[in-house]
Each structure stands twice: as structure tokens, then as C-alpha cells.
Amino acid sequence: MSQYKPHLVEKATELLEQGAVIPLRATKKNRVFLVVSSDGSSNYRTARAACNCPAGLKAAHMCKHRIAVHAIELAS
């Protein structure tokens, strides 16, 4: 996880602690999750490779939702 920006790792950890990362489905290629936004007003479809949140669509950096999913995959 050291390759990610520390503030995003912190936010991803908060999402995990809040139970905001919900498994939707798993395929041979990837696992897809529903991730609730920090303020609870939106949710995003997230996999390790992509996320449909605004930051994920810009793809300049990995978003906190994808980092949370990566953490789940590392733990399993």
C-alpha cells in the first residue's frame, strides 16, 4: 500500500472501517464492489482496475475506492 498517497490510504481505511465497501460480484477477471461515498449521497461501482467516481474517471491517481478494494483483495 506504500505506493499510494498517504491521505488516500487513510480515506480508504475509513471506508473499510465504515463498512462502505460491499461485494457485488466476482468474475474470473475481477471482483466488483459497490462503494458508498464518504458523505453517503452516492455510490460507485469499483474494481481494482477501475472506478466510476469522478476521481476514478479522471484516472490521474488511483482513487480511495480502488485503494479500499485493493486492500480487500490483499487481505483475502
Side-chain angles (χ1 to χ4, degrees), residues 1-75:
M1 299 300 282
S2 62
Q3 71 265 32
Y4 303 124
K5 294 184 176 219
H7 74 281
L8 291 177
V9 172
E10 185 177 317
K11 289 183 179 189
T13 302
E14 288 175 10
L15 289 172
L16 292 168
E17 289 171 348
Q18 295 168 354
V21 184
I22 305 158
L24 285 180
R25 67 177 182 275
T27 65
K28 290 182 181 181
K29 290 186 176 184
N30 62 31
R31 294 167 62 189
V32 178
F33 297 82
L34 181 72
V35 183
V36 180
S37 65
S38 300
D39 66 2
S41 66
S42 303
N43 53 57
Y44 306 108
R45 297 216 189 296
T46 308
R48 176 130 184 249
C51 181
N52 69 346
C53 74
L57 294 173
K58 290 180 186 176
H61 301 285
M62 187 168 299
C63 68
K64 62 186 173 190
H65 311 108
R66 287 178 59 197
I67 294 169
V69 166
H70 186 191
I72 288 173
E73 290 181 348
L74 288 174

